[in-house]
Amino acid sequence: MIIDIPEGQEPIGYVWDDMVPHIGRAAAAFSLSVYAHSTLGLREFEAARLRIAQINGCTLCLDWRTERDGEETVEDSFLDAVEQWRTTDAFDDRTRLAAEYAERYAVDHHNLDEEFWDRMTAHYSQKEIVELSMSIGSWLAFGRLNHVLGIDAVCKLPAR
């Protein structure tokens, strides 16, 4: 970790809220909004989120599972399926496309070609594409930020 966290402080809260309150609080509100207001199905949401977590290497993000309605989560084997998104039989077309989009958004965004967009628009509405794009952007930025600063490995997941 490259940031000194005072004894007794929770790392993400300290970095995001105490160190840069005007930026951090806005970032946290955006991050929380992605979870609170998503209209995407849980499987495609988690496929994209976990693919970004794998690319970022964010320990906290890899351990986290999004819940819906206080109980619904993806199955335990889902993380492995995301790693194998190209070949897994655990995904429908929308879920596979969400993982593919997340990966290409993160590592090859200049090559999102017409063929890819034809497949995306066949399965996602324009509103869903914008929502997924903003969600991926949030996960890419904030998961990478936490990992680069080294605070992802020392944070504790909230109790569910």
Side-chain angles (χ1 to χ4, degrees):
M1 179 169 30
I2 66 165
I3 304 297
D4 295 325
I5 307 297
E7 187 72 33
Q9 291 282 338
E10 190 279 316
I12 287 182
Y14 177 74
V15 169
W16 285 52
D17 196 40
D18 294 345
M19 293 187 81
V20 291
H22 298 296
I23 298 170
R25 289 179 191 148
F30 176 45
S31 181
L32 291 172
S33 186
V34 165
Y35 292 89
H37 302 292
S38 180
T39 62
L40 298 168
L42 180 62
R43 291 180 67 75
E44 58 239 22
F45 184 92
E46 282 292 89
R49 189 191 66 74
L50 286 168
R51 189 65 196 124
I52 293 298
Q54 290 167 341
I55 291 165
N56 282 345
C58 178
T59 305
L60 178 67
C61 302
L62 286 166
D63 289 343
W64 176 262
R65 295 298 175 273
T66 302
E67 290 182 356
R68 293 272 172 89
D69 302 321
E71 59 186 59
E72 181 187 5
T73 62
V74 293
E75 64 274 12
D76 291 339
S77 60
F78 197 81
L79 180 64
D80 292 331
V82 170
E83 184 84 40
Q84 303 299 318
W85 66 264
R86 288 173 184 83
T87 58
T88 184
D89 59 1
F91 288 177
D92 63 15
D93 290 339
R94 281 176 60 98
T95 305
R96 188 178 318 282
L97 273 167
E100 178 183 357
Y101 184 36
E103 180 175 304
R104 292 179 72 175
Y105 185 113
V107 300
D108 195 25
H109 64 284
H110 289 286
N111 290 311
L112 291 168
D113 56 14
E114 189 174 334
E115 181 275 331
F116 172 79
W117 288 116
D118 286 346
R119 289 186 291 120
M120 278 296 285
T121 58
H123 293 282
Y124 285 91
S125 70
Q126 289 184 351
K127 178 183 176 287
E128 289 173 320
I129 291 170
V130 170
E131 181 180 331
L132 186 56
S133 299
M134 288 187 173
S135 297
I136 292 169
S138 168
W139 301 320
L140 182 63
F142 303 138
R144 193 162 291 182
L145 177 148
N146 291 336
H147 184 72
V148 165
L149 296 179
I151 59 177
D152 63 318
V154 295
C155 292
K156 294 185 177 23
L157 290 172
R160 291 189 220 175

